[in-house]
Amino acid sequence: MKTLLDMIHSQTIRNKVLVFGVVMSTIPLLLLSLYYYSFVKSDLETRILEKQHLVLENLSREIQYEFSQTFQRIQVLASLNLLNKEQSALYELLQQSESIEEVIIADDKGFVEKRISRYELNIAGDMERWFTDDMWFQLQSRDRVYGQVEFNQYGQPVMKLAIPFYEKDSKKAIGVVIQLQKIIGKISSMRQDHSSYIYLLDDKERIIAHQDYSKLWQKQTSAGQDEIGVKAQIDYLNWVLVMEQPKTTAFAPINRMLQSGIGAVALMILTVSLISVWAGLYFTKPIVTIDREMNKLKQGQKIIPVKMKRTDELGKLAGSFNEMSKELLEKSRLLEQEKERLDVVVNGIGAGLALVTKEYQITWMNPILKGWLKEDRLTLPCYAVIGGENTPCLNCPITCPGLDKIADEVMKFKDGATGERIFRHRVFPLNHAIEEEGEFLVVLEDITEQKQMEETMIQTDKLSALGIMASSFAHEVNNPLATINVYAEDLIDRIQAGDEDLDEEEMEHYLRKIKENTERCKRITGNLLNFSRKNDWTNEHIRIREIIENSISLVEHQLKKQRIQLELRVAEELPMVTGDGLKLMQVIVNLINNAVDAMESEGKLVISATVTDSETVSIQVTDRGHGIPAEAMDKLFDPFFTTKPIGKGTGLGLSVCYGIIQQFGGNIMIDSKPLEGTTVEIQLPAERLAKPENTNG
């Protein structure tokens, strides 16, 4: 089938039109002829069956009439009690019916009392039984019985009939032997035509009458599928009349009609085909001309405008081709110019570009990307060339085309040719790509300076926060140091004075207080150092409660100083979050400082942490401050934008927070109403490996 379709597709439109014309002129006529042939054949078969059925019905009624008439005659004799009184009545019965061979009268035991025969002596044998056991048994309950078809002494088929009658309260029987030759002769002589035939079957399925004498007394053979026939049942006798006719002879008239009609159809098909061929050549000639000029255009040769003096669709097609060829030449010139511009843009864009297939193979890259990579790596898969990995990158759009992540958010890091550099790796699927030439466009941007600036902004924000919290740190450390000094001086004075009341238990109490305050100073300075140091991003399992408590410890003095009431609502058994704990701590400290500045003094600060669903942890910082103006809501995450007075903020806090939360793969949202307060919500993915930017190569 595929070979046939390929052959059809490879033919010219002229050949297709010619073949189509011939086929469409041939098939309808053939289908129409086939339909009428089937209709006439079916109608003829129905009429033949109806005719056969009528013939068999008439014949079966005649046979039944013959037997009914015989029964009526012997019933009349029995009813008039003439059987024993007048023997002449029995002879009269033989004379009335030529088909009756013999008449007998049997007593109540079934023995023959009297016999009148056409061919034998009219002497009843001693204890002669005329009835078969089956006939005699049926006679006890029926008013008439039929015997089996038998042969007389002359080889003629005969059949016994009998009826019961009463004589002086004694039940006797009268029986007759019927010759079937008359019935057989009638069936044999009935000939409807030279092909159909009728035959009669007895209750043992023997053929007792047939127009072909050679088949008499044979068992019936089942009719084949090549014959048309009907059957008629003869009541009481269990005989079956069958009339059959071979289909070849039954359908001979319409077959002859079909043969004579084929010639006419063939002549008509030839005429229509010639007309179709002429019309096909006439209509395809302009298309062939246009195809020839199209091939010249494809080869870059000079074409001649197609001129046709016709106004139909083909004339319009020729005009459209002339206009299209003119526009195509113009567009080819413009395409060359556009290609030149594109080459300038690709080579001068400052970013590396590459085409990658679904099998991660790089098929093309611009000179800038080639300059960034080493020669021995240019033939490797894209994940090895760009990311330096042994397997495809996690969340790569090529590996996972159904991901919800945007392709240009995927980040990759690599050592450049001139030292450690940072590149942003973006992947864009091409919807109209040529197969095996690259289905994805990879864009690499050198963002080393941008990342260095972001790190500088984060560190600047930390230093700004440290400056704000400097007095708080000094006070927090000064209190435990003063306690240590008091306990140490008191202990020294009592030792020098030789205080006898100073025992080991009291001395242990002094030393325990000194140790507790020393550890408090260590914890405060440790949190301060961790918060202030510049570090690269590290992935670790973060306990949200611990991060919140450490963040509060850095601003605890400031909250007390401003007389701000802190309410902590951290849910039990929070899932852990994957990411950099110090960066998250910086975010929470920044949000607390913003809340404190918004309330100024004697406010209420609520920090809560809950699980919104099985995959998200929500941290909320809510204050009852003056709120944020509506016109400033769209600019909150812009660098250097602040609503605080001059000298009280750098404008980097929320911008840095936004960048850190994006590295976590989360979201940060702000809801604020003027004079009512502000709620900042952070949503972080629970226990999911974040893919932040780093400079690890």
Side-chain angles (χ1 to χ4, degrees):
M1 186 64 182
K2 185 177 183 300
T3 305
L4 179 61
L5 291 176
D6 293 339
M7 184 185 71
I8 293 175
H9 292 159
S10 63
Q11 297 299 316
T12 62
I13 191 171
R14 172 179 290 179
N15 293 340
K16 292 177 183 178
V17 170
L18 295 179
V19 172
F20 178 79
V22 172
V23 170
M24 293 309 295
S25 61
T26 303
I27 291 179
L29 289 174
L30 292 178
L31 291 178
L32 189 62
S33 300
L34 181 62
Y35 169 75
Y36 277 110
Y37 174 76
S38 301
F39 175 78
V40 173
K41 182 178 180 181
S42 175
D43 183 68
L44 179 60
E45 182 175 358
T46 302
R47 294 178 182 276
I48 290 174
L49 291 175
E50 290 177 351
K51 177 183 177 182
Q52 291 179 347
H53 187 70
L54 291 174
V55 171
L56 290 188
E57 281 189 348
N58 292 331
L59 186 56
S60 64
R61 280 197 294 267
E62 289 182 14
I63 294 173
Q64 289 179 0
Y65 176 76
E66 289 287 339
F67 283 94
S68 297
Q69 194 175 34
T70 302
F71 274 114
Q72 288 176 0
R73 287 172 179 170
I74 60 178
Q75 283 175 347
V76 168
L77 291 178
S79 62
L80 295 177
N81 294 321
L82 299 176
L83 298 177
N84 289 328
K85 295 179 180 180
E86 298 182 16
Q87 190 170 351
S88 61
L90 299 179
Y91 286 105
E92 186 178 351
L93 181 61
L94 291 179
Q95 293 176 356
Q96 290 176 350
S97 178
E98 295 179 357
S99 60
I100 297 178
E101 276 191 1
E102 183 180 66
V103 182
I104 64 98
I105 298 174
D107 60 13
D108 57 354
K109 302 297 183 179
F111 297 116
V112 177
E113 289 184 346
K114 184 180 296 185
R115 171 186 285 114
I116 300 298
S117 176
R118 193 182 296 273
Y119 305 111
E120 295 181 357
L121 295 176
N122 298 329
I123 302 174
D126 189 18
M127 302 294 288
E128 177 185 355
R129 296 191 64 87
W130 187 83
F131 291 94
T132 63
D133 292 341
D134 186 53
M135 287 183 66
W136 184 253
F137 177 77
Q138 293 180 14
L139 194 64
Q140 305 307 312
S141 58
R142 299 182 182 178
D143 60 351
R144 64 176 63 179
V145 293
Y146 301 86
Q148 298 291 331
V149 177
E150 301 173 357
F151 295 96
N152 60 14
Q153 58 186 345
Y154 305 107
Q156 297 172 334
V158 295
M159 185 177 180
K160 294 179 178 180
L161 306 178
I163 63 170
F165 71 95
Y166 288 89
E167 184 180 79
K168 298 180 180 180
D169 298 331
S170 177
K171 186 176 182 180
K172 295 184 178 184
I174 179 173
V176 296
V177 177
I178 300 295
Q179 275 194 8
L180 303 179
Q181 198 68 33
K182 180 180 179 181
I183 297 174
I184 293 173
K186 181 178 292 187
I187 293 175
S188 301
S189 63
M190 290 187 65
R191 183 168 298 274
Q192 302 299 313
D193 51 50
H194 67 283
S195 60
S196 62
Y197 49 87
I198 302 173
Y199 58 91
L200 178 64
L201 300 174
D202 64 3
D203 56 352
K204 293 184 179 180
E205 295 186 351
R206 295 178 302 176
I207 300 177
I208 60 176
H210 200 291
Q211 293 170 334
D212 184 358
Y213 293 102
S214 64
K215 295 184 179 181
L216 289 175
W217 314 115
Q218 298 179 6
K219 279 283 188 177
Q220 180 200 21
T221 56
S222 57
Q225 296 181 352
D226 295 332
E227 295 188 1
I228 300 174
V230 293
K231 296 180 180 181
Q233 187 79 24
I234 300 178
D235 296 337
Y236 303 110
L237 293 173
N238 291 328
W239 288 357
V240 178
L241 265 175
V242 182
M243 186 173 185
E244 294 179 347
Q245 184 178 10
K247 289 185 178 180
T248 53
T249 57
F251 298 145
I254 60 171
N255 289 334
R256 288 193 297 272
M257 180 188 69
L258 178 64
Q259 292 174 359
S260 61
I262 287 177
V265 172
L267 180 61
M268 186 179 299
I269 290 175
L270 179 61
T271 304
V272 175
S273 298
L274 291 175
I275 296 174
S276 300
V277 169
W278 177 83
L281 295 176
Y282 174 77
F283 287 114
T284 57
K285 182 178 179 181
I287 299 176
V288 173
T289 304
I290 294 174
D291 180 65
R292 183 179 62 251
E293 298 301 322
M294 181 70 76
N295 291 330
K296 291 183 180 179
L297 181 64
K298 187 165 53 177
Q299 297 172 3
Q301 301 176 4
K302 184 178 180 180
I303 65 172
I304 301 174
V306 179
K307 297 180 180 180
M308 294 185 184
K309 296 180 179 180
R310 51 195 305 171
T311 58
D312 58 2
E313 288 80 359
L314 290 175
K316 295 178 182 178
L317 178 62
S320 299
F321 171 76
N322 294 333
E323 295 178 3
M324 182 194 68
S325 59
K326 182 179 179 181
E327 292 181 4
L328 190 59
L329 292 174
E330 180 65 21
K331 290 184 181 296
S332 298
R333 185 181 63 82
L334 295 176
L335 187 60
E336 291 293 333
Q337 296 177 352
E338 191 67 26
K339 182 178 180 298
E340 184 178 359
R341 295 192 196 102
L342 183 60
D343 289 339
V344 173
V345 172
V346 168
N347 296 326
I349 194 174
L353 303 176
L355 290 177
V356 180
T357 66
K358 295 178 180 179
E359 288 75 29
Y360 310 101
Q361 296 299 321
I362 297 178
T363 58
W364 170 87
M365 61 178 67
N366 66 345
I368 295 176
L369 182 57
K370 288 182 179 179
W372 288 346
L373 303 176
K374 297 179 181 179
E375 290 292 334
D376 58 346
R377 302 183 64 183
L378 298 181
T379 58
L380 298 176
C382 64
Y383 52 82
V385 174
I386 299 172
E389 302 287 346
N390 295 324
T391 57
C393 308
L394 183 66
N395 296 333
C396 175
I398 301 177
T399 308
C400 308
L403 284 179
D404 294 334
K405 283 185 75 69
I406 302 174
D408 62 1
E409 288 185 356
V410 179
M411 305 295 294
K412 288 290 177 184
F413 307 91
K414 180 176 174 349
D415 289 334
T418 59
E420 188 176 68
R421 306 291 293 175
I422 304 174
F423 296 93
R424 171 173 291 157
H425 168 218
R426 303 182 182 182
V427 180
F428 300 94
L430 302 178
N431 296 326
H432 304 286
I434 301 176
E435 189 174 0
E436 296 183 357
E437 290 193 10
E439 291 85 5
F440 298 88
L441 175 66
V442 178
V443 180
L444 286 180
E445 297 178 79
D446 189 342
I447 58 171
T448 305
E449 295 180 359
Q450 176 184 343
K451 296 304 298 180
Q452 290 174 349
M453 183 179 294
E454 290 178 0
E455 293 296 330
T456 302
M457 290 175 60
I458 293 174
Q459 192 63 21
T460 301
D461 182 67
K462 284 185 178 181
L463 295 177
S464 174
L466 286 174
I468 295 174
M469 296 183 293
S471 61
S472 299
F473 293 148
H475 186 273
E476 286 293 312
V477 174
N478 188 51
N479 287 340
L481 288 177
T483 303
I484 292 172
N485 185 54
V486 169
Y487 275 91
E489 287 181 356
D490 186 44
L491 182 59
I492 292 172
D493 290 342
R494 294 183 66 178
I495 291 174
Q496 290 178 350
D499 189 350
E500 296 179 356
D501 295 332
L502 183 62
D503 55 10
E504 291 182 2
E505 183 178 350
E506 193 170 359
M507 186 176 295
E508 183 182 351
H509 172 71
Y510 275 88
L511 293 176
R512 188 180 297 109
K513 289 294 182 181
I514 292 172
K515 181 182 178 182
E516 289 175 357
N517 284 275
T518 302
E519 290 177 350
R520 181 181 175 189
C521 290
K522 180 181 178 181
R523 184 171 64 255
I524 294 172
T525 55
N527 287 339
L528 177 62
L529 290 174
N530 287 336
F531 182 79
S532 62
R533 74 168 182 252
K534 182 178 181 181
N535 68 303
D536 295 331
W537 183 280
T538 57
N539 279 324
E540 57 186 359
H541 296 293
I542 301 173
R543 299 182 184 276
I544 299 298
R545 177 181 288 275
E546 183 179 339
I547 293 297
I548 293 176
E549 290 176 351
N550 290 341
S551 301
I552 292 174
S553 68
L554 295 177
V555 295
E556 189 172 6
H557 177 74
Q558 189 176 357
L559 296 176
K560 293 177 181 179
K561 182 179 178 181
Q562 298 288 342
R563 296 189 299 278
I564 293 176
Q565 179 184 356
L566 174 64
E567 182 178 347
L568 192 61
R569 304 174 184 171
V570 181
E572 297 294 335
E573 298 182 356
L574 282 174
M576 289 192 291
V577 175
T578 303
D580 193 321
L582 292 178
K583 292 288 194 298
L584 181 59
M585 185 174 165
Q586 180 180 351
V587 172
I588 296 176
V589 168
N590 209 323
L591 297 180
I592 293 175
N593 285 335
N594 287 345
V596 171
D597 292 340
M599 292 186 291
E600 295 182 354
S601 63
E602 296 185 355
K604 182 178 180 181
L605 177 64
V606 179
I607 301 177
S608 61
T610 57
V611 181
T612 57
D613 53 53
S614 59
E615 298 181 353
T616 306
V617 176
S618 173
I619 302 173
Q620 292 186 347
V621 178
T622 304
D623 64 69
R624 295 293 180 265
H626 50 67
I628 303 173
E631 61 272 12
M633 292 295 293
D634 295 337
K635 304 177 183 178
L636 292 179
F637 297 114
D638 294 347
F640 305 107
F641 175 79
T642 180
T643 59
K644 298 177 183 179
I646 297 176
K648 201 170 182 180
T650 62
L652 295 175
L654 288 178
S655 176
V656 171
C657 291
Y658 178 82
I660 293 174
I661 297 304
Q662 288 295 308
Q663 288 178 303
F664 270 90
N667 295 318
I668 180 170
M669 296 169 288
I670 299 177
D671 182 21
S672 181
K673 296 180 181 179
L675 304 179
E676 293 185 14
T678 302
T679 297
V680 182
E681 181 180 6
I682 300 171
Q683 293 181 345
L684 301 176
E687 285 293 351
R688 187 176 71 179
L689 182 62
K691 280 280 185 177
E693 297 174 356
N694 59 63
T695 56
N696 293 333

